[in-house]
Amino acid sequence: MSLASSAVRAGNSDCSADWSTAERHGELLGPQETNTDVAPRTTRLAKFHVPEIVFGPGSLAELGHCTQRLGSRRPFLVTDPGLIEAGWTDEAVGHLRRVGLRPVVWSGLTPNPKDHEVQAAFERYAESGCDVIVGVGGGSVIDAAKGVAILSGNGGHILDYAGVDQVVQPIPPTVMVPSTSGTGADVSQFAIVTDTTQHIKISIVSRTLVPDISVIDPRLLTTMPEWLNAATGLDALTHAIEAFVSRAHNPLTDNHALYAVKLITGNLVRTQVQPKNVAARLAMAQAALEAGMAFTNAILGATHAMSHQVGGLLDAPHGVVNGVLLPHVIRFNAEAWPERFVALGAAAGLPTAGVPPREVAGQLADLVRALADDLGVPKSLASLGVAGGDVPVLARTTLKDACMATNPRDVGLRDVEQLFREAL
């Protein structure tokens, strides 16, 4: 069973972090017979899969060595015009050439990677005779790079791989260099691609998509425009909160999620007003990493399932949509499992001693909205262009999104429609 499918199927209805019935009673079983009739029974198993990680200011200098170690001679470097203009692509190419590699650069990409852009990138990859795939950029770049890898190893069309565990053949080695502090794509088993015919985003979930190496250099974060800094930071916060309350959470993911919440709520606004502040940038780079490691193993929930549909409809910034939706989803999920939000509230700096869990959850939702306000994020989906007439279609496609499987509260069509209308 793959990481993705095991996480999706591992949900406990009570959101318990306990590993097994035996452990709750202070006992672990000894050796057991292995025939199927008497195999040991446990309530939880956890898998935790992450790339090799190179972290810290100046770590981009290691890109050549990392790529070479994966057997590359002619790497395929996926990036975008913004990274080229900022100078990061030239630096990355220089590090690759310094160790004798001959990179091919492809940058024909727009935000929220489109199905036809992934196809064009793959065709260039195939004709150029490249090997290792390198992504230098934000989530759109990294998702497109993963799309190239999927098609290289599996063929077909990128939309064929929507859902969980549809990528069945091995893919080329991948090295990712994130330029934003939030998407987590550089450590995740997700790739998000826009279906330009249906105007929806599809989620591709497979452990094969977890990159081999992630090179995280906080210097790259300093050239993000303010809106992107805000959007990706709110995306990371959503990753952390949804991973913590996910049906598939476990003690391995919980600590990463909680620490990410602490780092983001304490540092995101600082990066907005002091873009080159070393301590704040390091904190947000680590927060994005921590949140990414949490959600790729615990999966996500209703906020992301809904946000993907809005992004597909409007080509809107994913993190901005998350910032609008997350407070509403927190309140909705807390109706079923308010206790789970207490630790999240504490991590965000809220007083929790003696406070009823449902009240803590409400305060957390208010804190998220206040943070979004501080970052200049709109208060409603209507201000982003969503109309009331869009809601029925958005709700139907939301229920098909892979992220919905691990939402802590069961969600029906009417629930999703109501959440969308509350956020309009």
Side-chain angles (χ1 to χ4, degrees), residues 262-285:
K262 178 180 179 179
L263 290 173
I264 294 163
T265 54
N267 291 279
L268 177 54
V269 173
R270 289 175 64 201
T271 62
Q272 200 81 336
V273 297
Q274 298 176 296
K276 295 188 183 297
N277 183 293
V278 175
R281 284 300 185 192
L282 277 169
M284 281 305 301

Side-chain angles (χ1 to χ4, degrees), residues 60 83 88 136-137 177-180 217-224:
L60 184 59
L83 272 295
W88 298 120
V136 178
V177 184
S179 64
T180 64
D217 189 336
R219 294 182 307 129
L220 275 69
L221 310 182
T222 61
T223 55
M224 277 191 291

Side-chain angles (χ1 to χ4, degrees), residues 410-422:
D410 290 338
V411 185
L413 182 63
R414 290 185 179 179
D415 296 321
V416 182
E417 289 181 343
Q418 181 61 29
L419 282 168
F420 272 123
R421 295 192 190 283
E422 289 175 359

Side-chain angles (χ1 to χ4, degrees), residues 103-147:
V104 172
V105 176
W106 183 85
S107 60
L109 189 63
T110 57
N112 301 312
K114 316 299 186 290
D115 45 13
H116 59 84
E117 293 171 344
V118 173
Q119 182 63 34
F122 166 66
E123 291 172 1
R124 179 73 179 103
Y125 171 83
E127 72 185 18
S128 64
C130 286
D131 38 55
V132 174
I133 298 170
V134 178
V136 178
S140 295
V141 166
I142 294 173
D143 285 345
K146 289 180 180 181

Side-chain angles (χ1 to χ4, degrees), residues 11 52 100 178 191 241 297 357:
E52 176 186 334
I241 291 174
N297 289 283

Side-chain angles (χ1 to χ4, degrees), residues 80-83 85 109-114 137-141 179-183 201 221-236 268-269 271-273 275 281 284 314-323 371-378 384:
D80 67 29
L83 272 295
E85 183 179 354
L109 189 63
T110 57
N112 301 312
K114 316 299 186 290
S140 295
V141 166
S179 64
T180 64
S181 50
T183 70
K201 284 186 177 182
L221 310 182
T222 61
T223 55
M224 277 191 291
E226 284 191 3
W227 71 266
L228 185 59
N229 187 60
T232 56
L234 288 171
D235 193 19
L268 177 54
V269 173
T271 62
Q272 200 81 336
V273 297
R281 284 300 185 192
M284 281 305 301
L314 301 177
D315 203 22
H318 172 65
V320 170
V321 181
N322 279 344
L371 178 60
D373 289 340
D374 289 342
L375 296 168
V377 169
L384 296 175

Side-chain angles (χ1 to χ4, degrees), residues 261-384:
V261 170
K262 178 180 179 179
L263 290 173
I264 294 163
T265 54
N267 291 279
L268 177 54
V269 173
R270 289 175 64 201
T271 62
Q272 200 81 336
V273 297
Q274 298 176 296
K276 295 188 183 297
N277 183 293
V278 175
R281 284 300 185 192
L282 277 169
M284 281 305 301
Q286 184 171 345
L289 171 62
E290 301 269 0
M293 291 190 294
F295 91 80
T296 191
N297 289 283
I299 318 300
L300 292 161
T303 306
H304 270 79
M306 296 170 69
S307 181
H308 290 157
Q309 315 319 311
V310 176
L313 175 68
L314 301 177
D315 203 22
H318 172 65
V320 170
V321 181
N322 279 344
V324 174
L325 290 170
L326 180 58
H328 300 281
V329 175
I330 288 174
R331 293 188 181 93
F332 174 82
N333 285 334
E335 290 295 316
W337 307 114
E339 298 80 9
R340 191 67 186 155
F341 289 90
V342 174
L344 286 168
L350 295 172
T352 59
V355 181
R358 190 161 295 171
E359 187 174 331
V360 174
Q363 291 176 359
L364 178 63
D366 291 341
L367 183 151
V368 171
R369 184 57 253 176
L371 178 60
D373 289 340
D374 289 342
L375 296 168
V377 169
K379 292 183 180 294
S380 69
L381 294 179
S383 62
L384 296 175

